[in-house]
């Protein structure tokens, strides 16, 4: 391994000879002195050299040996003096904008086209640090609650779950489809592990060009058995959100100012009390979120009891309120972030639900068979990872929270 | 939440009235007494009832309230007496084999066809408990080493990485492909995060029906910058394997007897010293593994220096030994488990490597551009999760370590 210390460790080594490695973030040659700012995964280090030194250009990959020297004016209070610089790789092209400037002087398309270099900008990299920490918090919380991580097929034999917006795959000469969610498989595995989760890609052949939809996104899925009803699922989701926020706070200190509080009990409203329409419009979601913040000081709001007509066939109805379901959405800062609910668990109920919708049971055979073998009352939820990160960072477009977005127009890099 | 304790907690509650929930694993009605064994995610609980009690059948989903009563003859030393049993769901079909028998009386195809019920068998569920723990160990180790988790596209615009065995996708009327690995994207992200990992599905349109290949498997990918050469990558891989083994030991006590030791330094042989062929045959891999075990007491063996001709174009050559590479494989108990190595990092080297193979640079444009912006020396590896679990459990077929395998013939459930 190239023997090196990280920028974040420099202060501990004041007075010692050390070596750092990274990219030249900024080169400044003044009359009396030359500066190099070196960027590594933990931050920046200022390197000071005599004025005549021939310094490598920005985005060069370098190793720098030198003396860690206290200087109150340097970032972090310590800089590297008397440097010996080795260039490991020279860039052959300039970045599409100057990475060392605090503001990004480029539009989203340019950033996405040049992601491998554009995301070196600390501001553009932030969403992905938040994302990684959030996923770690999701898993840590569910591990603690006795969940088992699973990996389910992304290629499925029938386009059954919602019927529309699926990608076709040529599967050894047969027609197959990319899975729109792990819904069926995670439910089936409740019969084996009781509590399961999966972090993985889901695919939507979304034909609309919007700021909140992607053709591939990362879904944080959980499903648990032996629930009373959907409220038990909501309680687990609340724990998960608190765990995600805590892990971001721990791992990404510079994101602290972006983080919401997670109320011990997230406020909830019933669909019937907030809408006369069959579904909530984006505008209505924003209004309700604003209300929750104003009245309850909460960035989160549950909307429970969505009409059965608007939920998938596996949704459990509300036994006390015909036409309404034990399904919920969670709004976060004006946008639907999570969908969840209690599911049917009796085989006969599945057959009846499909029949009521005029659907054949045949295409669902493998899924339905699981319920013929005895399944507990269960439910679950799915969090859209990129939506979570985009909401936290205030990004106007979900693509700012996606390393390499896939959409109607974008298939590379 | 259904108020319950878990089987594993029963002993702590001896003398108290408690409630458990789970599946009827075994029902036995004798002349003088009736037994019910209830299975939950943590184990089994014996329930004792009067002989005349009407007990639900196997795989019924039940809640059982009763008195936790010490009985040295009961599994765990405590059983439930004076039970009040509530049936939550009745099975409508019998499992394809009796789940309560220690031996599985069914072949692999029957198990796979009926996975949602067959995997309830504790023996068949074991690989997936090991798998979940292993992945947790993978991540925990890399998190500790400063890696960032990423999520990369599974739909790509060109079938470039190996050229063969790719699945085609109809992408909004365009031709696209399922990614065979996150190789290109993880390398590009070394330029942003220095150290990255991803756990995700990869797709191979493998036209052969073998016991060790799948059309979709879970790849544990890591890539790190600022390496000296491939030996730094091997050192990180060794840490990762140790972390995976430790986490399985911690989370799945019944798997302890299956676990290998991970030597502080895993033995390594150079390809040129062990083969006259251009590649290692499966038989040769088994021989070498047997040798490592005999001579070094190691279940693991690195084979370094694979011939350049057999490795992908992005492989870094061995500067001291023309024709050989800084690429390696790791054999585990007779089978290739990991492929890895140092990669090229200079843009000009990529162009030369492609030209030498008679390939156009065009299809690689987005990938190559990353190297034009300054990339550090780097390398990485990919562990096949299902292979890892199958080797640990001694499964003859990798499908025994896959919840819902996808292959030439299998597209459901």
């Amino acid at each position: 391994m190239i023997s090196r210390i990280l920028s974040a460790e420099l202060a501990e080594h004041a007075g010692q000879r050390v070596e750092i490695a990274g990219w030249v973030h900024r080169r400044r040659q003044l009359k009396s002195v030359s500066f190099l700012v070196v960027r590594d995964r933990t931050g920046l280090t200022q390197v000071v050299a005599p004025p005549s030194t021939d310094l490598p250009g920005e985005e060069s990959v370098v190793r720098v040996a030198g003396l860690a020297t206290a200087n109150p004016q340097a970032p972090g209070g310590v800089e590297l003096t008397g440097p010996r610089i080795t260039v490991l790789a020279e860039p052959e092209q300039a970045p599409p904008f100057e990475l060392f400037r605090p503001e990004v002087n480029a539009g989203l398309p340019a950033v996405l086209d040049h992601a491998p270099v554009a995301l070196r900008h600390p501001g553009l990299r932030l969403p992905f640090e938040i994302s990684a920490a959030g996923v770690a918090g999701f898993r840590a919380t569910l591990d603690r609650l006795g969940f088992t991580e699973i990996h389910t097929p992304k290629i499925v034999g029938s386009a059954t779950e919602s019927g529309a917006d699926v990608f076709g795959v040529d599967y050894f000469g047969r027609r197959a489809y990319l899975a729109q969610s792990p819904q069926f498989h995670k439910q089936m595995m409740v019969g084996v592990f009781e509590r399961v989760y999966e972090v993985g890609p889901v695919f939507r052949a979304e034909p609309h060009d919007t700021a909140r939809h992607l053709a591939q996104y990362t879904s944080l899925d959980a499903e648990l058995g032996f629930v009373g009803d959907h409220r038990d699922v909501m309680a687990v989701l609340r724990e998960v959100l608190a765990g995600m926020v805590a892990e971001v706070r721990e791992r990404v200190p510079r994101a602290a100012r972006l983080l919401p509080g997670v109320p011990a009990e997230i406020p909830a409203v019933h669909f019937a009390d907030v809408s006369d329409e069959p579904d909530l419009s984006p505008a209505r979601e924003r209004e309700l979120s604003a209300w929750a913040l104003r009245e309850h000081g909460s960035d989160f709001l549950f909307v429970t009891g969505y009409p059965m007509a608007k939920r998938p066939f596996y949704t459990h109805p509300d036994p006390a309120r015909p036409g309404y379901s034990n399904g919920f959405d969670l709004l976060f800062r004006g946008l639907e972030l999570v969908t969840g609910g209690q599911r049917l668990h009796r085989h006969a109920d599945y057959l009846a639900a499909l029949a009521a919708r005029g659907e054949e049971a045949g295409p669902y055979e493998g899924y339905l068979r699981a319920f013929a073998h005895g399944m507990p009352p269960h439910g679950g939820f799915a969090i859209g990872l990129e939506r979570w990160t985009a909401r936290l960072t205030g990004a106007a477009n979900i693509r700012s929270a996606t390393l390499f977005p896939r959409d109607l127009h974008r298939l590379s890099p």
Side-chain angles (χ1 to χ4, degrees), chain A residues 144-185:
Chain A
R144 179 169 58 77
L145 296 175
F147 282 69
T148 300
E149 183 178 13
I150 59 172
H151 305 281
T152 67
K154 304 308 161 199
I155 308 177
V156 294
S158 44
T160 43
E161 199 195 327
S162 85
D165 298 345
V166 293
F167 288 110
V169 178
D170 174 8
Y171 191 78
F172 300 117
R174 275 191 284 174
R175 187 71 171 164
Y177 304 90
L178 291 182
Q180 291 179 294
S181 89
Q183 180 65 32
F184 290 1
H185 289 101

Side-chain angles (χ1 to χ4, degrees), chain A residues 64-77:
Chain A
V64 185
L67 184 65
T69 306
N71 174 0
Q73 264 124 59

